[in-house]
Amino acid sequence: MSADAYLNLQKISAGYGRTQVLQDIDLAIGKGEFVALLGASGCGKTTLLRTIAGFALPSAGSVRVGDRDVTRLPPDKRGMAMVFQSYALWPHMTAARNIGYGLRLKGWRREAIATRVAEMEALLGLGGLSGRKPSELSGGQRQRVALGRALAVDPDILLLDEPLSNLDARIRLTVRHEIRALQQRLGITTIHVTHDREEAMVMADRIVILDKGRIAQLGTPEAIYTRPASAFVAAFMGAENVVHLDGACSGHRVDIAPGPLNKAASLTLDRPAPPSGKLEARFRSERLQLRRLAAPSSDTGTAIELIGRVEAVVYPGGEWRHTVRIGESSVLVDGPEALPPDTDVIVRVPTTSLFLFAASAALPIGSPSAADDRSPVRDRLTA
């Protein structure tokens, strides 16, 4: 347990029936911190949030808030409030009555409730909407009403279960910045479940990436984006392009063996290199260099160069996005110039954009490696 943490989870395991969802989760969250639980569907992030809230009981481990053990306490005794994905607003109640609902359950006087509801409406920009029912509000307004209901009871911890997923893309961009600004203004400890990588990046102080009920990595958005701890995290954070290479590694140095679909390279990484042998190289579509195969190279040993052929090119905005076939795999490469399909190309991946990991024992069929037969494209490069 972290002595300076406000919310401490120790060795949390939880599931449903015989299905184990969470395994040995250790997590310490500071007072006033905004933490995002990020992961794909089924990774355990919602189960973890429900365990913190008290809607699900762990089979092992403890949940502590400050010096209190709340593991077995019901949700209303934990000092927490939750905003659900569906908002869970009473359809027959006005916005004002929905916001004040928790206060009525606590036995507040009518005058005090009215004052508190007015404060929440002013805080959340809901002025003039107090008499409307949920069906008469926009998605963003309903989200604000649900948030107002949660904040009205003055919780110690605010729990958000994908509250933006029902909003359209334009409104979602606005509301997520509003929530982050409000959280910073109030200084409330917040835990936010999302499957949206960008949402977690722009809102959270720290991100917890979950995979199969375990924490795959915990850190600041910048640290996780620039220094993923595993191939899984790298892929989840956008480095979905993958090729397999052979390399000899020592310290921070990696010597890439020439293969049918890559040139030899000697790289110096800003982190310890993986073990020598089969390597999994991952990179994002941006910050790469794409040139025709026949164009001269200006490589200075700070990149790997992959040999491929353009399959398709589209313009999503900003730069042209190419689908490049490398062996039996395809990668996405952004560039300022559109190269037509069937163009033989070199994809240059700078060391600063490259993530190297030890490859899994079973490489996918068609993965390029030094043991493959020489390809005609490779012969053209080395001729």
Side-chain angles (χ1 to χ4, degrees):
M1 182 175 70
S2 175
D4 58 351
Y6 182 59
L7 174 65
N8 266 294
L9 310 182
Q10 286 186 288
K11 302 297 180 185
I12 291 290
S13 295
Y16 304 98
R18 296 183 178 180
T19 302
Q20 185 84 346
V21 179
L22 302 175
Q23 303 177 56
D24 294 328
I25 297 290
D26 286 315
L27 180 60
I29 297 174
K31 192 170 182 62
E33 190 175 17
F34 193 124
V35 171
L37 306 181
L38 178 63
S41 296
C43 71
K45 58 186 184 295
T46 297
T47 299
L48 181 56
L49 192 75
R50 289 174 56 84
T51 301
I52 294 170
F55 295 112
L57 292 178
S59 56
S62 65
V63 180
R64 299 188 66 88
V65 178
D67 58 359
R68 292 194 308 146
D69 187 334
V70 302
T71 311
R72 301 296 165 181
L73 292 182
D76 61 324
K77 302 297 183 184
R78 297 190 177 207
M80 304 179 188
M82 190 165 178
V83 177
F84 298 91
Q85 182 176 351
S86 63
Y87 308 145
L89 299 176
W90 294 105
H92 64 287
M93 292 184 183
T94 63
R97 286 180 59 80
N98 268 289
I99 292 173
Y101 182 74
L103 301 176
R104 290 194 297 276
L105 292 181
K106 289 178 173 292
W108 280 38
R109 295 172 61 88
R110 181 178 300 179
E111 297 79 5
I113 292 175
T115 299
R116 183 63 170 168
V117 168
E119 291 174 355
M120 290 297 103
E121 290 175 344
L123 182 67
L124 296 167
L126 292 170
L129 302 176
S130 60
R132 296 188 187 182
K133 294 181 178 179
S135 61
E136 300 171 313
L137 300 172
S138 69
Q141 290 166 344
R142 288 195 293 270
Q143 189 274 336
R144 290 183 178 92
V145 170
L147 187 59
R149 181 180 58 189
L151 294 175
V153 298
D154 196 22
D156 297 318
I157 297 174
L158 178 63
L159 306 175
L160 305 174
D161 186 11
E162 300 202 55
L164 309 184
S165 61
N166 294 327
L167 303 178
D168 65 52
R170 183 180 61 84
I171 298 298
R172 190 162 59 244
L173 292 176
T174 300
V175 173
R176 71 189 185 190
H177 288 290
E178 291 177 350
I179 291 178
R180 175 55 168 159
L182 181 63
Q183 183 270 335
Q184 290 180 312
R185 175 180 172 184
L186 298 177
I188 188 172
T189 306
T190 302
I191 304 166
H192 176 50
V193 162
T194 182
H195 62 272
D196 187 313
R197 179 179 72 242
E198 183 178 324
E199 186 173 295
M201 292 282 290
V202 301
M203 295 180 74
D205 297 309
R206 286 192 299 159
I207 297 174
V208 179
I209 295 185
L210 292 169
D211 179 33
K212 299 176 182 177
R214 296 182 182 274
I215 295 178
Q217 190 169 351
L218 166 64
T220 65
E222 181 183 11
I224 288 180
Y225 189 82
T226 60
R227 300 179 71 87
S230 66
F232 168 81
V233 174
F236 197 86
M237 297 306 290
E240 297 179 357
N241 290 328
V242 59
V243 295
H244 290 89
L245 307 167
D246 288 332
C249 307
S250 178
H252 289 242
R253 185 177 177 82
V254 180
D255 293 312
I256 301 295
L261 302 172
N262 70 279
K263 294 178 63 176
S266 295
L267 311 175
T268 300
L269 307 180
D270 63 354
R271 68 204 72 180
S276 298
K278 301 291 184 184
L279 302 178
E280 181 173 316
R282 287 192 170 271
F283 50 95
R284 302 183 180 95
S285 62
E286 69 271 14
R287 297 183 182 177
L288 308 178
Q289 295 176 16
L290 185 67
R291 69 173 191 272
R292 296 174 186 271
L293 182 63
S297 172
S298 59
D299 183 48
T300 59
T302 59
I304 60 171
E305 292 194 336
L306 306 170
I307 311 154
R309 176 171 291 177
V310 175
E311 290 187 310
V313 58
V314 296
Y315 186 72
E319 290 192 302
W320 294 90
R321 177 157 295 172
H322 303 77
T323 301
V324 179
R325 172 69 64 173
I326 298 177
E328 297 300 319
S329 302
S330 294
V331 300
L332 298 178
V333 183
D334 294 343
E337 175 189 2
L339 298 181
D342 295 325
T343 302
D344 292 331
V345 294
I346 293 292
V347 178
R348 186 176 186 273
V349 186
T351 305
T352 53
S353 301
L354 180 66
F355 306 111
L356 288 176
F357 306 96
S360 59
L363 288 179
I365 296 174
S367 298
S369 72
D372 293 330
D373 294 333
R374 292 178 64 85
S375 69
V377 179
R378 169 69 185 170
D379 290 338
R380 288 175 57 189
L381 179 70
T382 56

